[in-house]
Amino acid sequence: MVQRRTPHPDFPPQGGRGTLLSGARKEATPLHDVVVIGAGPGGSSAANFLARAGVKTLLLDKAEFPRDKVCGDGLTPQAIYWLDRLGCAEEVLATTKACLKECDLYIDCRHVLTGGFPDGTAYPDFAILLDRRRLDHILLQQAMRLGAHFEPRTVVRDIAVEADGVRVVAEQGRKLVEHRAQIAIGADGVASAASRAIGNVLKDGVLAVSLRAYYRGVRRNGAQIKVYFGRDYFPGYGWLFVDDEGFANVGLGYAFDRSFPLATSLGESFRRFLARELADELGGAERCGAVSGGSSAFYRPRRIVADRTMLVGDAGNQADPLNGGGIHKAMESAWFATEAAKAALAKGDFSAKTLSLYQTLWNDHIDLDWQTAELFLSIAKNPNLRDFCLFLLSQIGRLTMADRRFQDFCSGVFSGVIAQNLCLSPRALYDAFPKDPATWLDYLRGEGGLALGPFRLARGTIRSLVIAGAGMGRDPLTNVDWGLDAAKKLVQLVERQFAEAPRPWPPSVATAVRAKNFHSQGVERWQ
């Protein structure tokens, strides 16, 4: 049986050093239990979970809300689950103009498949679209309703961990203010001040940069999610997310690191993507505002826990390396961090050792999946393998169209709805792979029939591997280093797989019923 990814168990509470402060006397504020830096999905979720438990929580952000944030604006089934846990799902569902149960995949301008989210999991089988301006404001308001105190227009300049607490020095307008708490949770994004304060080096691994624009009046047939892979921007993808009213989020993201930097300007790639892939959809559409850019990191920071400090979401580089999704990961990590915070407050011990409960819970929940996704990204980031990866994706996509069970498995792995490490499990692959001879006959007919099909598949495989070998031969040292790194990640993953079987926890009866009821209510809204 395919093991399904499940949200988390209901854990019971169990029982670094920042930069030096300097400068003039700051305006002090009362002591809080927890100060959360950053009011995006991770920060507002952490404030929500803490405030509902009676924890005195201060939430800081450099912006005044509502504010814009570069993102694809897609809320996955996992994000919808967490919105339900946060008490925001009803408001979000009432606000969105798009509920989607299918996604279209294109590779090099060719439609490959239309797939949906698998059912039978603890999550709903649909996604929704909502811009971050409104989503983040809803999350923030809910945290404030539960008792969290919010300070906008607050730019954190300094963080110091001391024996009796953590001090956060920030700018509010033209004055410096000092906030004190027992624990600080950094949720301040990929350029996190909290991450720097506990000794992490930022942007020191695989990064993804993206450009996004909004369009009004897009040609569509109802709400749609379209994902585009192409040779010009792989590893990465383009997207068109459009709601029922023709309002669309259009974007392009690309992953790179120091060994394999950006080959061309992202702006130029974005312009080519719009002209090549979206000319029909955007014909007659009006762009709303300027093109905006953002970034994410897909490598493990040195630490996410230190004395009196924890990192969540993009501050801890916790977005999914396989699909780039960060919203639900931020909410998820916030839950685990707040469990550790509550345990530390109950014990009166705020050391890294006590707060490492967060690291333990997070690793137990996500580590195998994260290592699997990281391995795939490590392979895909090598531009010499671009043709082979796209050829393989095309064949997988065509096969999923012929077999719904295999489609559910592939879409579940890519979206993270089922455990991603299962794609390396021989038993799970055997269970998911098509076994009906008619499925394979249909697949081969699409390649030219029983006679030509195998030949064309072999030719495409050999051609893409020859291109890869020739490219690697032009820069052998870089590619040897890459190969050793990928092999190391594979060995570590295999060792972990053998050391402990994948353990996605089964949801409790209450959680399963709640997910099922929420799924039914959500679908009824859109019928």
Side-chain angles (χ1 to χ4, degrees), residues 292-311:
S292 301
S295 63
S296 297
F298 298 106
Y299 64 92
R300 294 177 186 273
R302 180 184 173 197
R303 59 177 69 173
I304 62 171
V305 172
D307 290 342
R308 297 184 181 271
T309 309
M310 294 178 284
L311 306 177

Side-chain angles (χ1 to χ4, degrees), residues 85-161:
R85 290 296 301 266
L86 291 161
C88 302
E90 290 298 318
E91 186 174 358
V92 168
L93 285 171
T95 305
T96 182
K97 302 295 183 183
C99 175
L100 305 112
K101 300 191 72 172
E102 292 183 334
C103 170
D104 292 306
L105 174 65
Y106 294 79
I107 297 179
D108 284 332
C109 299
R110 186 167 61 93
H111 180 259
V112 175
L113 70 91
T114 297
F117 298 101
D119 56 14
T121 75
Y123 301 106
D125 64 348
F126 62 93
I128 61 177
L129 303 179
L130 188 63
D131 60 271
R132 289 286 299 277
R133 179 180 177 85
R134 289 183 289 177
L135 172 67
D136 290 12
H137 196 212
I138 289 171
L139 290 168
L140 172 60
Q141 288 179 315
Q142 177 69 355
M144 293 170 65
R145 280 192 290 266
L146 291 167
H149 178 67
F150 177 54
E151 291 283 348
R153 301 184 303 278
T154 302
V155 181
V156 172
R157 296 299 188 194
D158 217 352
I159 302 170
V161 174

Side-chain angles (χ1 to χ4, degrees), residues 482-495:
W482 162 82
L484 292 173
D485 180 65
K488 178 182 175 182
K489 288 181 170 66
L490 176 60
V491 170
Q492 291 173 339
L493 178 58
V494 171
E495 288 177 345

Side-chain angles (χ1 to χ4, degrees), residues 299-333:
Y299 64 92
R300 294 177 186 273
R302 180 184 173 197
R303 59 177 69 173
I304 62 171
V305 172
D307 290 342
R308 297 184 181 271
T309 309
M310 294 178 284
L311 306 177
V312 301
D314 278 348
N317 299 355
Q318 290 168 331
D320 189 327
L322 192 60
N323 57 44
I327 293 176
H328 72 272
K329 291 297 185 187
M331 297 171 172
E332 206 166 49
S333 62

Side-chain angles (χ1 to χ4, degrees), residues 402-422:
D403 188 277
R404 180 54 192 263
R405 181 175 178 80
F406 187 56
Q407 181 185 116
D408 282 350
F409 178 81
C410 293
S411 63
V413 166
F414 182 74
S415 65
V417 172
I418 67 173
Q420 291 167 322
N421 65 84
L422 292 178

